[in-house]
Amino acid sequence: EVQLVESGGGLVQPGGSLRLSCAASGFTFSSYSMNWVRQAPGKGLEWVSYISSSSSTIYYADSVKGRFTISRDNAKNSLYLQMNSLRDEDTAVYYCARERHLNFDYWGQGTLVTVSS
Amino acid sequence: QSVLTQPPSVSGAPGQRVTISCTGSSSNIGAGYDVHWYQQLPGTAPKLLIYGNSNRPSGVPDRFSGSKSGTSASLAITGLQAEDEADYYCQSYDSSLSAFYVFGTGTKVTVL
C-alpha cells in the first residue's frame, strides 16, 4: 500500500524557517517524481514544487522561488521542503504528492504550517 | 493564483446528474495537456478521481466520468449520492513560464 506521511509543520514567525519531511513507503520511491502542493485555510490547491526521480530537474512556483528548496533522499525514501523567509501567506496545509503522467496519484495527509507573530 | 476556472458550487438531489466545468487556455488544456480531477472530502487530503481526461483509477465508481474539448473539460457525476458531497478540483499542466502544474478554482458539490 502506498503511504506518504508528512511531518515538520508548526507555528513559525514571519521571516522564520521550517523544514518539512515526507516519508514514503509501499512503492519504489526512487522511480517517481514527487511534488509539494499546499492549501491555505478555506482556499484551493496550489502547486508549490517538483523534483524528478533523480533530483536532476526541479521546478518552483513563482510564489516560493528563491525562498523554498525541495530535495529528496532516495536511500531514505524521503522528500523534503526547506522553507525560508516565511510569510503570512505561506500559511497552509502542505501535502506531498506522488506524480504519475503529470497528475498526482497519491497524496499524504498533510502537515499544517502557520506563519504568525 | 488558479489558472483553471470552475464554478464555485453545484448542487443536486440524490440520484440526479451534475456536471462541473473547468475552463483553461491555450497554454494548458488547449495545448493538448490532459485534465485530471480530484475529490476532497471534508477534512481530508485530495484523492485522484479521474486521470487523463476520462480514466478512472481502480476503486472509483463509474458514476464519475470526465471529458475534454478544446480549452475546457467537464466532470459528470450521475446518480448523485450523499457521500459525493465534497470539493472537486481539475488540474492540468501549463507550458507558460510562470506555472507548471495548475489547479482549478474548485467546486463545492452539495447534495440536497
Side-chain angles (χ1 to χ4, degrees):
Chain A
E1 177 194 6
V2 172
Q3 281 201 319
L4 298 169
V5 180
E6 302 93 337
S7 61
L11 175 64
V12 60
Q13 292 188 338
S17 298
L18 213 53
R19 189 195 195 206
L20 305 183
S21 298
C22 172
S25 61
F27 65 103
T28 305
F29 180 72
S30 59
S31 296
Y32 288 85
S33 299
M34 297 294 295
N35 291 262
W36 288 98
V37 177
R38 69 183 180 182
Q39 185 171 35
K43 302 297 184 180
L45 300 171
E46 179 189 15
W47 169 77
V48 172
S49 184
Y50 160 96
I51 186 167
S52 62
S53 57
S54 64
S55 303
S56 60
T57 302
I58 287 175
Y59 300 133
Y60 297 100
D62 285 350
S63 56
V64 306
K65 200 174 296 182
R67 300 187 299 121
F68 289 12
T69 302
I70 191 172
S71 63
R72 64 191 295 163
D73 185 335
N74 287 342
K76 294 183 177 179
N77 291 337
S78 293
L79 175 72
Y80 307 102
L81 186 67
Q82 177 66 42
M83 304 185 296
N84 298 331
S85 303
L86 283 161
R87 306 167 179 168
D88 291 350
E89 56 265 33
D90 295 319
T91 294
V93 174
Y94 285 74
Y95 297 100
C96 67
R98 190 179 84 166
E99 178 178 326
R100 183 175 178 272
H101 302 317
L102 300 183
N103 66 74
F104 308 115
D105 63 347
Y106 285 95
W107 299 63
Q109 86 289 347
T111 187
L112 176 63
V113 172
T114 303
V115 183
S116 175
S117 54
Chain B
Q1 64 279 15
S2 298
V3 176
L4 307 179
T5 302
Q6 300 178 231
S9 63
V10 299
S11 61
Q16 284 191 329
R17 179 179 187 267
V18 297
T19 62
I20 301 170
S21 61
C22 173
T23 302
S25 68
S26 58
S27 64
N28 41 69
I29 299 174
Y33 294 110
D34 286 343
V35 177
H36 319 286
W37 292 89
Y38 302 87
Q39 177 192 58
Q40 187 174 31
L41 297 170
T44 69
K47 167 193 162 186
L48 181 64
L49 192 67
I50 296 287
Y51 68 93
N53 306 316
S54 59
N55 301 291
R56 288 185 305 277
S58 174
V60 172
D62 59 7
R63 302 185 292 104
F64 295 93
S65 62
S67 63
K68 173 192 161 185
S69 178
T71 58
S72 296
S74 290
L75 173 71
I77 310 173
T78 57
L80 194 63
Q81 298 184 6
E83 61 259 35
D84 299 334
E85 190 160 290
D87 293 322
Y88 293 82
Y89 295 90
C90 59
Q91 177 255 315
S92 187
Y93 183 87
D94 194 290
S95 58
S96 67
L97 294 178
S98 63
F100 295 95
Y101 303 94
V102 290
F103 286 96
T105 48
T107 299
K108 170 68 176 180
V109 170
T110 300
V111 181
L112 301 172

